[in-house]
Amino acid sequence: ISSTIDNNFKHDFDSGNLEFLIISNEVYKIIIGKFIIILILCLTNLVASLVLSILFFGISALKIYDIIIAAIPSLINLSCLCLISGIIRIYFEKNSGLLTIFIFPLIIPLILLFSIYLKEGNISILYISYGISLCLAPIFLYLTTKLTVDLYNS
């Protein structure tokens, strides 16, 4: 997923489409659009893997429902992290891999909460996971928007 987004931003940057869209002062629409595409891609992959899990492992429908509900916050933050990673790779051009390595561990707490919820079934853990996601996602989207605007202002 990350390589797809990196190439998508890179292609837009190289072709000049990103600059044209930034000039139209609708950067947030670009970022939200890319976020929704990544989120749909992640949800599609989740559903496909759950179908395979049902076929091969015989997981119950109730467990599948729990997995989907618990995975949504992680997928939201993963989508945001892919966006900010793609912009950082363009923004810093050289040696951006190290910065990306420092960004992606931010998804680990949500993955841990996801697995704890699936093991124990405690609904308060799910609320914490959604709270973290709802706090971090707007920050990541805002930072991605600002870095995108700063690409051409610096």
Side-chain angles (χ1 to χ4, degrees):
I1 293 172
S2 178
S3 65
T4 303
I5 284 304
D6 292 344
N7 291 336
N8 192 3
F9 272 117
K10 184 81 170 137
H11 176 70
D12 288 345
F13 182 73
D14 291 342
S15 68
N17 290 338
L18 193 59
E19 184 176 10
F20 175 72
L21 292 171
I22 288 173
I23 290 172
S24 68
N25 291 327
E26 299 190 359
V27 179
Y28 67 94
K29 288 182 181 179
I30 300 166
I31 301 303
I32 295 296
K34 288 183 182 287
F35 168 74
I36 290 171
I37 294 296
I38 297 170
L39 189 60
I40 290 171
L41 179 66
C42 290
L43 287 172
T44 305
N45 288 334
L46 175 67
V47 169
S49 64
L50 289 177
V51 167
L52 291 174
S53 297
I54 290 170
L55 292 175
F56 293 122
F57 303 116
I59 297 175
S60 68
L62 185 60
K63 197 64 167 174
I64 296 295
Y65 175 76
D66 282 345
I67 291 171
I68 291 173
I69 294 299
I72 288 174
S74 297
L75 294 178
I76 289 171
N77 276 350
L78 180 65
S79 301
C80 291
L81 289 173
C82 286
L83 279 175
I84 200 164
S85 170
I87 285 297
I88 283 177
R89 286 183 180 220
I90 293 171
Y91 194 78
F92 291 105
E93 291 181 23
K94 296 179 181 177
N95 302 325
S96 62
L98 185 62
L99 290 172
T100 305
I101 290 171
F102 287 131
I103 289 174
F104 274 99
L106 294 172
I107 195 74
I108 291 174
L110 286 172
I111 293 172
L112 291 175
L113 288 172
F114 169 73
S115 60
I116 291 170
Y117 169 73
L118 289 179
K119 183 177 180 187
E120 296 179 7
N122 188 353
I123 195 75
S124 63
I125 292 174
L126 188 61
Y127 292 150
I128 292 169
S129 181
Y130 271 94
I132 291 171
S133 180
L134 291 175
C135 289
L136 290 179
I139 294 169
F140 290 144
L141 291 174
Y142 177 77
L143 286 174
T144 304
T145 303
K146 287 300 177 188
L147 282 174
T148 305
V149 169
D150 286 346
L151 270 174
Y152 295 101
N153 290 340
S154 58

